[in-house]
Amino acid sequence: MASTEVMTINMGPQHPSTHGVLQLVLELDGETVVKATPHIGFLHRGIEKLAEHRTYHQILPLTDRLDYLAPMHNNLGYMLAVEKLLGIEDQIPERAQVVRVLLAELTRIKSHLVWIACHALDIGAMTVFIYAFREREHIMNIYEKISGARMTSNYFRVGGLSADLPDGLEQEIRTFVDSMPGHIDTYEGLLTGNKIWQKRIQNVGVISGEDAIDLGVSGPSLRGSGVDWDLRRDNPYSGYENYDFQVCVDDGCDTWARYKIRLLEMRESCKIIYQALDKLKPGPILADCPKVCLPPKKDVVDSIEGLIHHFKIITEGFKPEKGEVYVGVENPKGEVGFYLNSDGGPRPYRMKIRPASFINLQALPKMVEGSMIADVVAVIGTLDIVLGEIDR
Amino acid sequence: MSEHRAVAPLKTEFADAVLDVVEFRGETTVTVKKEQIVEVCTFLKKELGFNFLTDLCSVDYLGQDPRFMVVYQLYSIDKNDRLRIKAPVAETDARIETVTCVWQTANWLERECWDLMGIEFVNHPDPRRILMPADWEGHPLRKDYPVQGPDREPYQGRLS
């Protein structure tokens, strides 16, 4: 009589489809996954600990390095938390708000482009990868013109922005967004009707809406399980309530549903970017709060007040009053939140990041157990995890 | 601003357990006794619809008693509101009951809390470290843990 035994294999931490240094210990019965145990922490840099030893302004570059595919969203979430702690969230000028939304949505497209590129590549559709990275390169160039960096933008500031948009950039963004729906059609042409693609992701990685909520899954992964929840609409920040957009929901609960949602989200982001470009009017980009906002360089050089404020903010930082706030924003991966606890000093007493990928990854065992080993690759792709954010 | 909808029911249901209610910047924080944290969380989920555990973390108030505070960020998808629950944990008895039975999300978050802050979660289904290596000594997010790591001189700034 044939006997069977469970075989344990390691997938990662060095594996091309784990999107970073994720290790999965898989227990297999033949090709069926009996148990999956994720091991994380290989990229742990102690950002929360570091934050306790830095002023509020100095923490901002650390947040770029969380979800490095969507740095503007991390910057935005952190800035909103600091502004709420200071109580200046209603003093942010209109132009800064609009630019924040504009760049947040551009970043969403950028992050989703990496998702579709890597997700398709993992499953064997290589062409999409090349196309999506071509479009991403345009966004990186826009990033570079705005902030000087291609990935770690570090562009938003307490009270607004670090600098105004360079001349001619609005037209460049408009040209890019004009071309984007056509590009999405191209990806769909390569994938949506493709029988292999359909067979690889339909009814794979199924998770019900109740289970997803219980496991704390958020973002497109939750909306793919039929839960109609998007922080941009339900807890609007940075003026999202003034934009007209659809929250894409699909009750398919599988990888196919999440695939369709993210493609639709890219199209919705284009709509929001158009609206933001139309709203963009000349005006101040920094709140009038000299005690907390870093003054423009011109004031530092030309006025004694500017110099003093700059010196005070850089050397000792500002001191929010004692208290605690939590702000969550709709990152491309899900809800990214910042919990700031102030003891009245110039550094946060405690900063806790709510990492969307970390909590979404927790649902992975539930989604792969009982399915084939090849589906694990599809599920990692569909969860759209970034290890920089998981390990912090 | 009016009182958060959860405060009155909590005070009625758990008159002895509610220690403090604070409102800051429009956010409500309710501090409860750690002995009744599971009952409070179950009540909040079942009766008041806080079905989504957004985050769980802990704060180290070194030098104060009780030393630790475990912080739960709750969200209700149906009602679209947030609530923060805190439970004080003493240094001498750094343990609190797990809430994984209420929200499964708590599993990894509590492991992280144990790993980095050294608070033990009683009856946790998988009480291993999560971010630090399994044989790591100490809990890095504690305030008495040096930022440069153990057995190293503090960073003095660049010399050049």
Side-chain angles (χ1 to χ4, degrees), chain A residues 29-261:
Chain A
D29 175 11
E31 277 198 72
T32 309
V33 179
V34 180
K35 190 165 184 275
T37 315
H39 290 258
I40 59 173
F42 297 97
L43 206 60
H44 182 56
R45 294 147 293 172
I47 285 180
E48 289 169 11
K49 180 81 176 174
L50 290 172
E52 292 173 10
H53 296 263
R54 274 160 176 71
T55 63
Y56 288 90
H57 274 291
Q58 288 172 330
I59 296 166
L60 185 63
L62 295 177
T63 63
D64 286 324
R65 284 140 182 91
L66 292 168
D67 178 355
Y68 42 76
L69 299 177
M72 294 276 192
H73 279 274
N74 308 326
N75 290 172
L76 180 59
Y78 174 69
M79 284 296 88
L80 291 172
V82 175
E83 282 158 9
K84 190 169 187 184
L85 188 63
L86 290 163
I88 60 164
E89 70 263 48
D90 47 2
Q91 297 179 43
I92 314 302
E94 176 68 17
R95 185 174 170 84
Q97 300 265 38
V98 174
V99 172
R100 284 178 175 188
V101 170
L102 173 71
L103 294 177
E105 292 308 316
L106 205 58
T107 307
R108 189 179 312 279
I109 297 179
K110 179 173 171 243
S111 172
H112 281 1
L113 283 172
V114 176
W115 155 76
I116 195 167
C118 299
H119 190 28
L121 181 71
D122 291 347
I123 294 179
M126 272 188 79
T127 320
V128 182
F129 181 87
I130 312 291
Y131 283 135
F133 266 64
R134 178 187 64 188
E135 273 73 82
R136 180 169 179 260
E137 195 63 27
H138 287 183
I139 303 184
M140 302 269 251
N141 288 338
I142 293 170
Y143 258 50
E144 192 176 356
K145 286 182 182 158
I146 293 170
S147 66
R150 285 160 56 81
M151 282 184 85
T152 49
S153 55
N154 190 21
Y155 176 62
F156 300 145
R157 289 289 180 276
V158 177
L161 312 169
S162 63
D164 211 338
L165 294 178
D167 289 339
L169 197 87
E170 288 163 40
Q171 189 50 46
E172 191 173 336
I173 295 176
R174 204 178 277 277
T175 314
F176 171 74
V177 180
D178 283 342
S179 70
M180 205 53 218
H183 293 314
I184 301 170
D185 291 341
T186 310
Y187 314 146
E188 288 218 64
L190 286 164
L191 296 174
T192 307
N194 184 330
K195 276 277 181 289
I196 304 171
W197 177 253
Q198 291 176 1
K199 285 231 173 343
R200 284 300 305 275
I201 65 172
Q202 281 173 349
N203 295 316
V204 166
V206 177
I207 185 161
S208 69
E210 293 87 68
D211 285 343
I213 291 175
D214 199 29
L215 282 159
V217 177
S218 53
S221 306
L222 182 61
R223 290 191 284 277
S225 293
V227 181
D228 187 7
W229 177 51
D230 188 320
L231 284 174
R232 291 175 292 170
R233 183 197 61 198
D234 297 330
N235 280 342
Y237 49 90
S238 290
Y240 263 111
E241 62 273 24
N242 305 322
Y243 295 84
D244 180 27
F245 62 98
Q246 290 279 314
V247 175
C248 314
V249 186
D250 194 305
D251 49 14
C253 301
D254 58 354
T255 305
W256 176 248
R258 292 183 282 270
Y259 160 74
K260 287 188 289 183
I261 281 182

